Amino acid sequence: MYLFSLTVGHYAYAICPICVIAVGAGVGVSRWLGIDDIITGLWIGGLAVSMIIWTINWLEKKNIKFKFRNIITAVGYYAIIVIPLYFNGIIGNPLNILCGYNFLDKMLLGIINGSIAFYFAVIWYEYLKEKNEGRAYFPFQKVAMPVLFLVIISIIFYYLTK
């Protein structure tokens, strides 16, 4: 039900700027520390979903509506992210593949899985908030849940690719 709500739904799940900064900081720190590209990709994917949701919510608040708005927003953000990574040799590099399979680029796989994890964290947060009469269970829950999902999936992928 919620799977395609980013592109066709009528809900705008607001993500706060603090969450965007936290995810962005995760991307910067992981690259600086030399962490594997699959882990960095997870955080880039989370950042992408965060920015997509934030932009769709902003467009909704400004009452800016046009055909395929959500799809265009999502495709636009992923294009802004993936195309430069491809042309800089980060995505598509034969040395950056998982288990010798040419179709499993580490960065791209991370971006896809990070996007999915972050999106489901947002959906879960909205579900829990609805169950609690429209209130979060604890302060900064909106920030903590998506970041926690990214941390958990980062640990999982770290051990799977180690």
Side-chain angles (χ1 to χ4, degrees):
M1 177 173 161
Y2 292 111
L3 183 59
F4 298 105
S5 66
L6 253 186
T7 56
V8 296
H10 61 280
Y11 296 105
Y13 299 109
I15 299 297
C16 66
I18 296 170
C19 196
V20 173
I21 292 168
V23 173
V27 171
V29 169
S30 66
R31 288 299 277 177
W32 180 70
L33 293 173
I35 295 173
D36 191 69
D37 278 346
I38 197 164
I39 307 300
T40 304
L42 293 169
W43 289 85
I44 291 171
L47 178 63
V49 171
S50 178
M51 293 302 297
I52 291 166
I53 293 170
W54 202 13
T55 301
I56 290 170
N57 189 48
W58 181 83
L59 291 170
E60 191 69 33
K61 281 184 182 177
K62 297 293 182 182
N63 203 24
I64 300 172
K65 298 179 183 195
F66 50 90
K67 195 170 187 165
F68 306 116
R69 177 188 69 186
N70 296 357
I71 294 171
I72 291 169
T73 302
V75 169
Y77 271 109
Y78 282 111
I80 288 169
I81 293 167
V82 172
I83 292 171
L85 291 173
Y86 176 77
F87 283 113
N88 284 310
I90 295 171
I91 292 178
N93 184 338
L95 300 174
N96 197 27
I97 56 175
L98 187 63
C99 301
Y101 298 104
N102 288 333
F103 62 89
L104 283 179
D105 183 86
K106 288 181 176 182
M107 182 68 75
L108 196 54
L109 185 64
I111 290 171
I112 292 166
N113 284 291
S115 296
I116 292 168
F118 194 94
Y119 180 69
F120 280 113
V122 171
I123 296 298
W124 191 32
Y125 166 75
E126 291 294 330
Y127 171 77
L128 292 175
K129 184 178 163 187
E130 185 179 306
K131 287 286 201 187
N132 196 30
E133 300 172 1
R135 294 186 325 241
Y137 284 95
F138 57 90
F140 300 106
Q141 181 180 357
K142 183 188 285 190
V143 176
M145 287 182 65
V147 172
L148 179 64
F149 267 51
L150 288 176
V151 169
I152 291 169
I153 198 169
S154 294
I155 292 167
I156 291 168
F157 271 96
Y158 173 77
Y159 285 109
L160 286 176
T161 60
K162 187 175 175 185

